Amino acid sequence: MLAALASFAHAAQAERPNVLFIASDDLRPQLGCYGDKVVKSPNLDRLAARGLVFDRAYCQQALCSPSRISLLTGRHVWTTKIYDIGPFLRETMPDVITLPQHFKNNGYFTRSLGKIYHVGIDDPQSWSAPPWHSKKPRYGPVGSAMVAKRAADLKAAGQPIPKKGENVPFYGGPAFEAPDMADENLLDGDTVREALDAMRELAKRPEQPFFLAVGFANPHVPWVAPKKYWDLYRTEDLPLPENRFAPKNAPAFAATTGADFYWYSNVPKDRKITPEFGRQCLHGHLAAISYVDAGIGRLLAELDRLGFREKTVIVFWGDHGYYMGEHNWWGGKHNTYEGATRAPLIVSVPGQKTTGAHCPALVEFVDLYPSLVELCGLPWPKDAAGLEGKSFVPLLNDPKRPWDKAAFSEYPKGGRQGVAMRTDRYRYVEWRNKNGDLVARELYDHQADPQENENVADAPANAAVLERLATQLRAARKPAPEAEPERKP
Ligand SMILES: [Ca+2]
C-alpha cells in the first residue's frame, strides 16, 4: 500500500471516513466510463474520474440475492449456501457479521435505503435503523393500471395474491414504459430524495461516521424511466449485438433460462425477439441506466455540498451482469458466463492519488468486505477467518501492479452445479451433478474469443491448459460441491 493510503488508514482511528455505498440492480458495465459509446452516463463517468474503475470485477452468482448476500458477508456462494432469492441469510449463517453490521459494531450509523438486500428478506441486524423502501410506483400510469388489473383478475379467479416482494402481478405490466413524470414520482427518484434527506440529517451529527447504502431498482426489468431519459436515445440508432447465437459446443443447460423478462405482457410468448422489439428493449434499458445515473449525480452533488467529499469513501457496484441479445439471451443473467458475472465496480477514496484510471486486475465482490474494513481503519470482525476475499486496497494507488487472483462464480442448473473460474486469459467452468461427478466442462479463450462464442474445452490442443485450470479451480474451491435446485422465476 502506498504511503498516502497507509497514513489515511492510521488517521482513521481518530476520524474514520464515511461510506456511501451505492448499488444498482442488474446493471452490466454498460457505462461511458467502461467504454460504451451509446449510453449516456455522465455522472457515473464523473465518479470514475475521481476514483478507480475496476474493469474486471466479478459477482459470485448472477442473481440478486445470492450476489448481494455473498458481497455483504464477504463469503462465496459455496459458503453462504444461498443460491436463490431465499432463504433469509440468518437461516444459513445465523451468527455471521455482515459488512454493514461490522461498521455498526464499530460506531458507524448504518442505513439502508432502497434495494441493498433483496426486498422482503432484509437483515435488520445490519442496520442502525429499519431499512427504508419507497412506496412510490415502479411503473408509470400504464403499467400500474395493468398490474392492478392482474391483481384484481387473480383475486376474481380465487387465486392467491402473491405476497409483497413476489413479482407475479408485475408480469401483467409491460417490460418497459416511458411515463412523462418527475423523477421523484417513481420509485428510484423517491429513493434518491430520501437519501438526500438522510445525508442532510447526517450532516447535523458529524461526530458519528456513517455507512449509507442506497440501492436502485433500475435497470432491472421493467425498464421504466421518465420520458426525458428515453429522449436521450433514438430506437433506430441502437446497435444490436452481432453474436445472437448460443456459444458453440456449449452444454445446452448452461445457457440462461427462464429469465423473468419473458413473463412481461408485451414480450412475445414464443420468445422470438425481433430486431425491432429488441431495439425497443435496448432503448428502455438505456433510459433506465440514465435515470439511475441522474440520481447518482444528485447524491454526489449533495455529498459535495455538505462537505463530505474529503471524508467519504464512495463505492458503486451493480449486483451482476446482464444479456441484451448477446447469444440471443434477452433480459438474461442466471448463468456462469462473462456477460452475467462481470459487473461494474467503481471506488473513490479521499486522498486517492490515482484518479480516473482503470484497473485490469481480477477482483471479486467478496473482496469488498476486507477492502472497506482496511480503507476505514476498522479492526477485523471476530469471524474474520471466514472472510474469503482479498483486500484490493493496494490496487487503488497502483492499479497496474501484479495481482495474482482468479474470480469464481457459480450457478445451479437443473441438478447440476456450475463453478466458473475467470483467469487472466480464460473462463473455465466445471459442471457437477448431485454426487459431485463431473458432467461437463467449458473453456473460453478470451484472447481469441472475448465474446465467448465457442467452448473449446474439447479441443485436443487445450488438454494441458484444461488440466492446469482444473487443478487451480479444485485448489481454490471448497471440497464436495453439492448440486442445488435451479431457480424458478
Ligand atoms: Ca439483480
Side-chain angles (χ1 to χ4, degrees), residues 24-27 63-65 68 115 220 319-320 333:
S24 183
D25 202 1
D26 287 21
L27 175 68
L63 183 63
C64 300
S65 198
R68 289 158 185 260
K115 184 171 174 180
H220 193 295
D319 63 349
H320 48 73
K333 44 201 185 190

Side-chain angles (χ1 to χ4, degrees), residues 30 32 35-41 232-233 237-239 286 290:
Q30 184 164 18
D36 191 274
K37 302 288 186 238
V38 178
V39 73
K40 305 276 196 304
S41 56
L232 296 171
Y233 308 94
D237 293 344
L238 301 177
L286 291 163
S290 291

Side-chain angles (χ1 to χ4, degrees), residues 371-384:
S371 303
L372 282 169
V373 166
E374 186 179 339
L375 275 171
C376 296
L378 266 53
W380 292 102
K382 65 175 188 283
D383 61 353

